[in-house]
Tab-separated table of all heavy atoms in Angstrom:
chain	number	residue	atom	x	y	z
A	9	THR	N	6.390	6.392	13.180
A	9	THR	CA	7.763	6.875	13.269
A	9	THR	C	7.763	8.154	14.092
A	9	THR	O	6.960	9.034	13.848
A	9	THR	CB	8.296	7.225	11.858
A	9	THR	OG1	8.004	6.152	10.976
A	9	THR	CG2	9.788	7.471	11.885
A	10	ARG	N	8.699	8.237	15.051
A	10	ARG	CA	8.775	9.504	15.782
A	10	ARG	C	9.290	10.588	14.846
A	10	ARG	O	9.828	10.322	13.783
A	10	ARG	CB	9.638	9.363	17.025
A	10	ARG	CG	11.096	9.140	16.750
A	10	ARG	CD	11.961	9.565	17.938
A	10	ARG	NE	13.345	9.203	17.762
A	10	ARG	CZ	14.184	9.815	16.937
A	10	ARG	NH1	13.766	10.796	16.172
A	10	ARG	NH2	15.445	9.435	16.845
A	11	ALA	N	9.132	11.823	15.284
A	11	ALA	CA	9.536	12.955	14.459
A	11	ALA	C	11.019	12.872	14.100
A	11	ALA	O	11.828	12.329	14.861
A	11	ALA	CB	9.263	14.268	15.204
A	12	LEU	N	11.354	13.420	12.942
A	12	LEU	CA	12.753	13.628	12.579
A	12	LEU	C	13.292	14.757	13.455
A	12	LEU	O	12.703	15.840	13.517
A	12	LEU	CB	12.852	14.016	11.101
A	12	LEU	CG	14.217	14.502	10.613
A	12	LEU	CD1	15.236	13.363	10.621
A	12	LEU	CD2	14.107	15.092	9.206
A	13	ARG	N	14.409	14.516	14.124
A	13	ARG	CA	15.033	15.538	14.974
A	13	ARG	C	16.254	16.084	14.235
A	13	ARG	O	17.221	15.353	13.997
A	13	ARG	CB	15.444	14.923	16.312
A	13	ARG	CG	14.237	14.355	17.082
A	13	ARG	CD	14.679	13.481	18.250
A	13	ARG	NE	13.533	12.949	18.976
A	13	ARG	CZ	13.630	12.107	20.004
A	13	ARG	NH1	14.824	11.698	20.422
A	13	ARG	NH2	12.544	11.659	20.613
A	14	LEU	N	16.171	17.367	13.881
A	14	LEU	CA	17.200	17.979	13.042
A	14	LEU	C	17.883	19.118	13.800
A	14	LEU	O	17.229	20.092	14.184
A	14	LEU	CB	16.557	18.495	11.749
A	14	LEU	CG	17.452	19.203	10.728
A	14	LEU	CD1	18.611	18.315	10.290
A	14	LEU	CD2	16.624	19.641	9.518
A	15	GLY	N	19.178	18.990	14.031
A	15	GLY	CA	19.937	20.012	14.736
A	15	GLY	C	20.408	21.108	13.790
A	15	GLY	O	20.725	20.848	12.624
A	16	VAL	N	20.452	22.345	14.309
A	16	VAL	CA	20.973	23.489	13.544
A	16	VAL	C	22.032	24.160	14.410
A	16	VAL	O	21.712	24.746	15.446
A	16	VAL	CB	19.841	24.484	13.180
A	16	VAL	CG1	20.419	25.652	12.375
A	16	VAL	CG2	18.732	23.794	12.387
A	17	ALA	N	23.299	24.050	13.986
A	17	ALA	CA	24.420	24.593	14.766
A	17	ALA	C	25.183	25.602	13.924
A	17	ALA	O	24.936	25.753	12.722
A	17	ALA	CB	25.343	23.455	15.215
A	18	GLY	N	26.138	26.283	14.554
A	18	GLY	CA	26.961	27.253	13.840
A	18	GLY	C	27.293	28.428	14.740
A	18	GLY	O	26.695	28.606	15.800
A	19	PRO	N	28.258	29.253	14.319
A	19	PRO	CA	28.685	30.389	15.142
A	19	PRO	C	27.565	31.401	15.379
A	19	PRO	O	26.543	31.397	14.685
A	19	PRO	CB	29.807	31.028	14.314
A	19	PRO	CG	30.252	29.958	13.364
A	19	PRO	CD	29.048	29.119	13.095
A	20	VAL	N	27.779	32.284	16.355
A	20	VAL	CA	26.835	33.366	16.651
A	20	VAL	C	26.665	34.237	15.403
A	20	VAL	O	27.636	34.561	14.716
A	20	VAL	CB	27.368	34.232	17.807
A	20	VAL	CG1	26.503	35.471	17.996
A	20	VAL	CG2	27.421	33.437	19.096
A	21	GLY	N	25.417	34.596	15.117
A	21	GLY	CA	25.170	35.588	14.079
A	21	GLY	C	25.139	35.088	12.654
A	21	GLY	O	25.053	35.874	11.719
A	22	THR	N	25.208	33.763	12.464
A	22	THR	CA	25.216	33.258	11.083
A	22	THR	C	23.810	33.078	10.512
A	22	THR	O	23.649	32.757	9.340
A	22	THR	CB	25.971	31.918	10.972
A	22	THR	OG1	25.422	30.988	11.916
A	22	THR	CG2	27.452	32.102	11.248
A	23	GLY	N	22.788	33.262	11.362
A	23	GLY	CA	21.416	33.194	10.852
A	23	GLY	C	20.717	31.878	11.109
A	23	GLY	O	19.859	31.457	10.340
A	24	LYS	N	21.066	31.231	12.238
A	24	LYS	CA	20.412	29.956	12.560
A	24	LYS	C	18.908	30.141	12.782
A	24	LYS	O	18.093	29.400	12.245
A	24	LYS	CB	21.052	29.323	13.807
A	24	LYS	CG	22.508	28.961	13.627
A	24	LYS	CD	23.084	28.216	14.821
A	24	LYS	CE	23.186	29.042	16.080
A	24	LYS	NZ	24.184	30.141	15.991
A	25	SER	N	18.541	31.160	13.582
A	25	SER	CA	17.110	31.405	13.852
A	25	SER	C	16.369	31.787	12.582
A	25	SER	O	15.229	31.367	12.353
A	25	SER	CB	16.942	32.518	14.892
A	25	SER	OG	17.493	32.139	16.131
A	26	SER	N	17.024	32.575	11.742
A	26	SER	CA	16.419	32.988	10.481
A	26	SER	C	16.194	31.778	9.565
A	26	SER	O	15.151	31.655	8.916
A	26	SER	CB	17.328	34.022	9.801
A	26	SER	OG	16.975	34.198	8.462
A	27	LEU	N	17.176	30.860	9.524
A	27	LEU	CA	17.020	29.639	8.729
A	27	LEU	C	15.833	28.823	9.237
A	27	LEU	O	15.002	28.343	8.451
A	27	LEU	CB	18.312	28.820	8.776
A	27	LEU	CG	18.350	27.524	7.965
A	27	LEU	CD1	19.784	27.236	7.490
A	27	LEU	CD2	17.859	26.319	8.764
A	28	ILE	N	15.750	28.686	10.560
A	28	ILE	CA	14.644	27.910	11.146
A	28	ILE	C	13.305	28.584	10.838
A	28	ILE	O	12.332	27.913	10.479
A	28	ILE	CB	14.862	27.738	12.664
A	28	ILE	CG1	15.992	26.722	12.897
A	28	ILE	CG2	13.582	27.289	13.371
A	28	ILE	CD1	16.431	26.583	14.335
A	29	ALA	N	13.256	29.907	10.959
A	29	ALA	CA	12.013	30.628	10.637
A	29	ALA	C	11.615	30.394	9.183
A	29	ALA	O	10.434	30.203	8.865
A	29	ALA	CB	12.183	32.121	10.908
A	30	THR	N	12.609	30.397	8.289
A	30	THR	CA	12.338	30.168	6.872
A	30	THR	C	11.774	28.776	6.638
A	30	THR	O	10.788	28.596	5.908
A	30	THR	CB	13.632	30.374	6.045
A	30	THR	OG1	14.065	31.727	6.212
A	30	THR	CG2	13.400	30.100	4.581
A	31	VAL	N	12.388	27.773	7.259
A	31	VAL	CA	11.900	26.388	7.109
A	31	VAL	C	10.462	26.279	7.608
A	31	VAL	O	9.599	25.683	6.956
A	31	VAL	CB	12.822	25.400	7.860
A	31	VAL	CG1	12.173	24.015	7.949
A	31	VAL	CG2	14.174	25.310	7.169
A	32	CYS	N	10.194	26.872	8.780
A	32	CYS	CA	8.831	26.816	9.332
A	32	CYS	C	7.846	27.520	8.406
A	32	CYS	O	6.749	26.999	8.127
A	32	CYS	CB	8.793	27.447	10.717
A	32	CYS	SG	9.721	26.527	11.963
A	33	ARG	N	8.230	28.672	7.915
A	33	ARG	CA	7.347	29.451	7.045
A	33	ARG	C	7.013	28.663	5.781
A	33	ARG	O	5.879	28.649	5.317
A	33	ARG	CB	8.033	30.776	6.690
A	33	ARG	CG	7.125	31.820	6.076
A	33	ARG	CD	7.872	33.127	5.848
A	33	ARG	NE	8.172	33.831	7.090
A	33	ARG	CZ	9.390	34.087	7.536
A	33	ARG	NH1	10.463	33.701	6.871
A	33	ARG	NH2	9.562	34.733	8.677
A	34	GLU	N	8.006	27.986	5.225
A	34	GLU	CA	7.822	27.284	3.955
A	34	GLU	C	7.127	25.930	4.120
A	34	GLU	O	6.429	25.485	3.219
A	34	GLU	CB	9.191	27.052	3.286
A	34	GLU	CG	9.902	28.321	2.869
A	34	GLU	CD	9.187	29.053	1.752
A	34	GLU	OE1	8.703	28.398	0.815
A	34	GLU	OE2	9.103	30.298	1.811
A	35	MET	N	7.352	25.265	5.255
A	35	MET	CA	6.970	23.852	5.355
A	35	MET	C	5.863	23.558	6.371
A	35	MET	O	5.397	22.426	6.456
A	35	MET	CB	8.203	23.000	5.684
A	35	MET	CG	9.342	23.190	4.691
A	35	MET	SD	10.704	22.011	4.850
A	35	MET	CE	10.039	20.597	3.956
A	36	ALA	N	5.429	24.575	7.148
A	36	ALA	CA	4.456	24.304	8.219
A	36	ALA	C	3.099	23.841	7.691
A	36	ALA	O	2.334	23.217	8.428
A	36	ALA	CB	4.288	25.533	9.108
A	37	THR	N	2.797	24.145	6.425
A	37	THR	CA	1.509	23.676	5.899
A	37	THR	C	1.560	22.197	5.527
A	37	THR	O	0.537	21.546	5.463
A	37	THR	CB	1.079	24.489	4.660
A	37	THR	OG1	2.132	24.435	3.697
A	37	THR	CG2	0.794	25.932	5.034
A	38	GLU	N	2.765	21.662	5.281
A	38	GLU	CA	2.859	20.250	4.878
A	38	GLU	C	3.369	19.344	5.994
A	38	GLU	O	3.182	18.131	5.933
A	38	GLU	CB	3.763	20.100	3.642
A	38	GLU	CG	5.200	20.504	3.864
A	38	GLU	CD	6.062	20.378	2.612
A	38	GLU	OE1	6.557	19.273	2.349
A	38	GLU	OE2	6.247	21.392	1.906
Side-chain angles (χ1 to χ4, degrees):
T9 312
R10 68 157 173 74
L12 170 68
R13 299 167 180 177
L14 179 57
V16 181
V20 172
T22 54
K24 297 186 293 293
S25 296
S26 165
L27 182 150
I28 287 173
T30 298
V31 168
C32 293
R33 194 176 289 117
E34 295 293 319
M35 305 190 81
T37 55
E38 63 182 275

